[in-house]
Structure formats: C-alpha cells, structure tokens
Amino acid sequence: MKTFQNFINGKWVDAKSGQTFENRNPANWDEILGTFPKSGQEDVDEAVRSAQAAFEKWRLFPAPKRGDILRRVGDIMAARKEELARQMTKEMGKVLAETRGDVQEGIDTAYYAASEGRRLFGRTVPSELPNKFNMAIRVPVGVAGVVTPWNFPMAIPTWKIFPALLCGNTVVFKPASDTPASATSLVEILLEAGIPEGVINIVHGGGGDVGMAIVSHPDVDLVSFTGSTLVGKKISEVASATLKRVSLELGGKNAQLVMDDADLDLALEGVVWGAFGTTGQRCTATSRLVLHEKIHDKFLSMLVERTAKLKLGNGLQQGVEVGPCINQGQQTTVQKYVEIGIEEGATMVTGGEIPKGTDLEKGWFYKPTVFADVKPHYRIAKEEIFGPVLSVIKTRSLGEGVKILNDTIYGLSSSVYTSDINNAYRAIRDIKAGITYINAPTIGAEAHMPFGGVKQTGNGHREGGWTVYDFFTEWKTVYIDYSGGLQRAQIDNYE
Ligand code: NAP
Ligand code: MG
C-alpha cells in the first residue's frame, strides 16, 4: 500500500503526530488506495510559515512568468489526463467520462490562468489636478488558505489554486479527506512544472483539525472554501476574528423547470444527466424537477422508464452511467431522506433502495430515485440531499414555476426548458440564482465563466473566469504628482 505525505516548505513529510488515515474506493470498500498523514495545528503552522516566507519572492516574480509555469501545469495535466481520471474514479467513484471532464476543467483553468498573466489589468484614470497621474493596480493578498470538497477533486482545487498563484499569492491547501490522492497528484504536477519551494503546501487531515487551523490562522490572509453551507457558516464566523477575506461556495437545491412547450426528449436527457450525473453529488445537481401540469404525467412516465434503466457500477467499467455515493455516511443520508419523503406523503416512483445481491454490495451504491407528488414545502424539496434523489413538483404556469424554483434558501443553478423565447427571458429575469441555463441541464459550468450562487449558496464572490481574479488580488491606488508643488485635491480646483 502506498504511503502519501504532506508537502511543506519544499519537502514531503509525515504529520508531526505520526498518525495516518486510509483512503478507500467507494465502489469497492475493500480496496485501499493509500494512507495519508493525519495532520494538525503544528503541521499547519509550519505550512503557513513556509508560505509566508515564499511570498516575499513569489510576489516579485513577474506575472507572465507565473503564467508560463501554469501553462506547463496545463500541458502536464493534458499529457497525464487518462491516468489522473482513473485515479479519481477509484478514489471517489464518478464514472470515467466525468473524471476526464474534471481533469479537463483543470487544464482549461490552467490555460486561462496562463493567459491572465499577461493581463491582470489595472486602470489608469485622469486626475482632477494638473501634472498628476492616477492609477489602480492589482497586488497579491498574501497567504491563501484553500479548503476543498471531494466531488470535484481536481477541478475545484484548480479553480482556487491557479488564480491564487497567478496573482502572486502562496498557498496552503487542505483537500477533502475523501480525495487526498487526486490533490496530491495536482501538487506533484505544480512542482514538476516549476512552482518554487514553499509557494504551494499541502496538509492532509480532517476538516475540524487542519481545515479549522488554516481558517483561524492569523497569518493566513484569505480563505477560499467550497463545501457545505453548515461548514461555510462556521468558517465565516471563525475567520471574522482576523477579518480575513473569505470566499464561500456552498450548497444548492437546484431545479429544472419544464414548460408545456418544451422539447420533452431534450428535457429528459437534461434532467437525467443533471440529477444522476456524479450520483447527484454536485453542488449544481438537479434535485427538483418542476413540471408544467399539461406535460406532467407524460414526462413523469418517460423519466421513470429512463431512470430505472440507468446502469450502476464501478465507474471504470464501460457502459456504467452512475457510480456510488462517496461513503457510507452519504449513503445513509440518502436512505434517511427517502424515508422522510415517504413519510411526508410523496410517491416514490422508482429507486428508493440500496441494490442488493450483486457485486454492488461492496460499494456505497444507491438506486437513482424519483419522488412524484412532492409539495414545495416538503423537506425533500427544501434540503440539500447530495445524492441520487429527484423531487418532482407540478406547476400551472411559468410564473408559479419560477416561484417554486426560488422557494429555497439556496441559489446556485437553475434550468428552464421552453421553446418560447418570451418565457425564457422572463425566467432569466425572475430566477434568483447565480446560474441559469436555458434548454440545458443545471450542470455544465465552463471554466472561463463566473461561477457561484446567491442567498445561502455563498457570500457574493465568484470563482471561474475573470471574476476570481478580483478575489485573489487587492486594489492598490497610486497617485503620482509631478507638478513639483503641493496640490490639494477637492480644494485647489475649487477656491
Ligand atoms: P464539507 O463537509 O463542508 O467539506 C468541505 C471541506 O471542508 C472538506 O475539505 C472538509 O474536510 C472541510 N471541513 C469540514 N469541516 C470543517 C471545519 N469545521 N473547518 C474547516 N474545514 C472543514 O462538504 P463536502 O461534504 O466535502 O462537500 C459537499 C458539499 O459541498 C455540498 O453541500 C455541496 O453543495 C458543496 N459544494 C459546493 C460547490 C459550490 O461551488 N457551490 C461545489 C461543490 C460542492 P474533510 O473532508 O476532512 O471533512
Ligand atoms: Mg476515497
């Protein structure tokens, strides 16, 4: 069995405590991928010191050169794409096509970051006084704490780490305990591409220990977190003690609305992909389906037929469409919500159980599940389940459908299927979400577009695209007076 380590201050090291934890395959729990250091405060302290020291050099390294390193990162990821995808499928279960996509998102993010190295635009603005020059430039923030979830083991860390580095920050990275191997591969690639010592540090271990130690550390200047709303709130509280900058990308309860004028075959493909891709374990997963009453019964029967045929299994096998839940805890949560749905009065029309009597018993599988007759106030319509469970709600109109869609504490992704352009634009105007798709599922973000949500999905920042570069830089305003005399703004011009 392989033993993995932390990377701190330019060296691969064990946790100070000497303790380790195992990483297993959720499709076959007997398969152990390796052991990882179970780190704590002391390891984080050292990583932060390392990142702080490295910052003084890295911030002076020209941004286009930082971009050149990230371009090499993209090249290496592209060359190793298949191997990285296979490792990821073994580590967290999603099917190979999806783990390939996850790596590709990292590659895209690397190339975007590389090109940003030659932009990072500031502004020059006229001064109100003669012989004076005004500009605002971007400067790095300092040490970035990066804490990530397991559902996009490569893509989400790259969304944070690549822009952070490109802007001249140094990084202390704590990946999810369920996906430490993919995270380690990412760090290896950064080093191979030429990231200098101390600039990137990875500390493995639990959220409450390593994650909290990073977030609360007085010398960590900003935190970029993706995960649950519950943990996000805790982080927000703890980080406020040092007033550090915090970006939170949190939960979702995303809905797809299908109007009576929609292309139903297209809408069906969309909802099956959106609800059961990644076993429903995406922050943007479709967990509610709002159907216009005129097509409700027809569409529901199409959906049940299609869902029941989905092939579960090990994501490395060809033809498998749905992998396992990430771990036993998640499988239990799904089962609990299925029981809640039944108690609330919803009708379970397919799925609703752990598959039995097959080789699937070695993993944390759950049959793709659809509930009909769901009322908007049911818990299964309100709470994030993060598994293969879809709640179907009936609506009479676009207006009512959008209201149902908005009736949640979250606001990440949304989708409307319609062939009426007026409906589409009204929905875009009225939906309260960070992302709206028209005639496409709730999942499918592109790396060069802003990504994030409203309400309790986050705290207003956006990852992806050009917007993430605002988070990882500070604005510095510069005035250069070349008049040779004292000039007083707001005063001299107006006397
Ligand atoms: P999670 O339990 O919140 O964990 C996310 C990360 O935070 C993990 O690295 C975790 O470490 C760490 N962590 C846990 N408790 C912590 C604490 N007290 N202080 C600091 N760090 C802590 O979420 P998850 O179960 O991994 O991921 C699923 C959730 O993420 C869902 O709610 C999903 O919607 C959300 N998500 C959101 C987005 C988005 O962009 N909006 C994208 C993907 C996922 P351990 O792994 O060691 O526990
Ligand atoms: Mg695992």
Side-chain angles (χ1 to χ4, degrees):
M1 193 180 13
K2 204 173 161 194
T3 307
F4 292 78
Q5 293 179 298
N6 291 328
F7 188 77
I8 297 173
N9 204 12
K11 287 182 207 69
W12 292 100
V13 291
D14 295 328
K16 298 261 193 231
S17 67
Q19 290 185 311
T20 59
F21 66 93
E22 286 171 350
N23 178 17
R24 291 173 181 249
N25 182 343
N28 174 12
W29 205 240
D30 295 339
E31 187 184 340
I32 303 177
L33 279 83
T35 62
F36 289 79
K38 196 170 179 211
S39 318
Q41 183 75 48
E42 279 182 279
D43 306 283
V44 170
D45 287 346
E46 197 172 324
V48 173
R49 273 196 298 277
S50 148
Q52 248 189 329
F55 177 66
E56 289 311 320
K57 276 194 191 157
W58 184 241
R59 73 187 176 88
L60 302 178
F61 206 75
K65 291 234 163 239
R66 298 195 291 252
D68 288 345
I69 298 179
L70 289 165
R71 186 174 301 104
R72 279 201 293 282
V73 168
D75 292 344
I76 299 169
M77 287 178 83
R80 291 178 56 183
K81 181 170 167 180
E82 190 60 22
E83 168 213 331
L84 294 168
R86 287 179 173 273
Q87 177 187 49
M88 196 189 297
T89 294
K90 278 192 206 162
E91 179 166 49
M92 56 73 71
K94 65 185 176 187
V95 301
L96 210 42
E98 291 188 46
T99 52
R100 285 184 189 126
D102 193 310
V103 179
Q104 186 59 46
E105 205 162 322
I107 298 166
D108 298 342
T109 301
Y111 292 147
Y112 189 96
S115 70
E116 191 61 27
R118 291 188 182 271
R119 286 190 298 267
L120 273 189
F121 293 140
R123 285 189 182 216
T124 62
V125 183
S127 169
E128 67 179 54
L129 292 160
N131 301 317
K132 195 175 167 213
F133 185 85
N134 292 359
M135 64 182 165
I137 57 172
R138 290 176 186 276
V139 294
V141 185
V143 176
V146 168
V147 181
T148 54
W150 46 265
N151 61 344
F152 281 84
M154 192 66 72
I156 290 179
T158 69
W159 285 3
K160 301 175 186 303
I161 293 172
F162 294 174
L165 294 176
L166 188 278
C167 293
N169 306 285
T170 53
V171 171
V172 177
F173 172 30
K174 188 217 105 58
S177 299
D178 282 305
T179 52
S182 296
T184 303
S185 295
L186 176 61
V187 171
E188 286 168 354
I189 291 168
L190 283 162
L191 299 175
E192 187 186 333
I195 292 289
E197 279 192 7
V199 171
I200 176 84
N201 301 270
I202 183 168
V203 187
H204 295 286
D209 306 320
V210 178
M212 257 307 135
I214 292 174
V215 169
S216 58
H217 204 293
D219 296 326
V220 169
D221 300 290
L222 65 84
V223 167
S224 180
F225 171 81
T226 298
S228 59
T229 294
L230 194 72
V231 173
K233 286 181 181 173
K234 241 186 247 172
I235 288 179
S236 184
E237 271 178 46
V238 170
S240 72
T242 50
L243 292 179
K244 57 174 58 83
R245 182 182 292 203
V246 180
S247 168
L248 302 170
E249 291 290 346
L250 310 174
K253 188 71 187 175
N254 317 290
Q256 174 175 319
L257 169 59
V258 183
M259 292 301 295
D260 53 342
D261 53 34
D263 176 337
L264 295 190
D265 294 316
L266 187 69
L268 178 66
E269 288 313 305
V271 71
V272 169
W273 175 229
F276 304 120
T278 321
T279 320
Q281 303 170 115
R282 290 195 187 208
C283 49
T284 53
T286 309
S287 59
R288 296 176 297 154
L289 173 66
V290 184
L291 295 178
H292 192 279
E293 60 184 4
K294 283 195 191 148
I295 50 95
H296 176 276
D297 294 355
K298 180 178 178 199
F299 194 83
L300 186 62
S301 66
M302 287 163 73
L303 174 65
V304 169
E305 199 196 324
R306 179 79 175 77
T307 303
K309 281 194 199 134
L310 286 169
K311 189 168 160 41
L312 267 71
N314 185 322
L316 290 178
Q317 283 162 14
Q318 197 135 26
V320 167
E321 294 166 285
V322 182
C325 299
I326 184 67
N327 52 36
Q328 189 174 21
Q330 196 56 42
Q331 188 195 45
T332 305
T333 300
V334 171
Q335 179 64 45
K336 190 191 84 188
Y337 272 105
V338 166
E339 284 159 20
I340 289 170
I342 293 167
E343 270 168 38
E344 286 180 308
T347 311
M348 195 180 57
V349 285
T350 183
E353 58 178 2
I354 295 168
K356 287 179 201 80
T358 61
D359 57 354
L360 298 182
E361 277 187 354
K362 289 195 155 191
W364 309 120
F365 291 93
Y366 202 91
K367 284 193 184 169
T369 301
V370 178
F371 274 110
D373 306 318
V374 177
K375 301 280 175 274
H377 66 272
Y378 286 0
R379 285 181 65 191
I380 57 167
K382 290 252 184 231
E383 297 172 20
E384 185 181 49
I385 300 172
F386 224 57
V389 181
L390 179 67
S391 298
V392 182
I393 304 169
K394 199 188 280 188
T395 188
R396 284 165 300 198
S397 66
L398 179 84
E400 187 192 58
V402 169
K403 238 190 215 150
I404 292 168
L405 197 144
N406 286 340
D407 186 14
T408 152
I409 60 165
Y410 301 108
L412 184 52
S413 190
S414 55
S415 149
V416 179
Y417 280 78
T418 177
S419 57
D420 180 337
I421 192 157
N422 298 336
N423 275 345
Y425 274 90
R426 279 186 203 119
I428 292 167
R429 184 193 61 198
D430 295 335
I431 288 173
K432 295 189 183 113
I435 305 166
T436 295
Y437 292 92
I438 301 296
N439 293 328
T442 59
I443 65 178
E446 298 179 29
H448 58 293
M449 294 292 285
F451 182 92
V454 302
K455 299 195 267 181
Q456 293 192 27
T457 289
N459 62 345
H461 294 289
R462 289 291 179 274
E463 307 210 281
W466 59 95
T467 40
V468 71
Y469 293 87
D470 288 329
F471 180 72
F472 285 108
T473 50
E474 294 277 11
W475 282 106
K476 171 172 274 187
T477 304
V478 182
Y479 300 104
I480 303 155
D481 191 320
Y482 56 96
S483 69
L486 172 68
Q487 300 200 85
R488 298 172 301 175
Q490 292 93 38
I491 297 172
D492 289 345
N493 270 349
Y494 300 96
E495 276 192 341

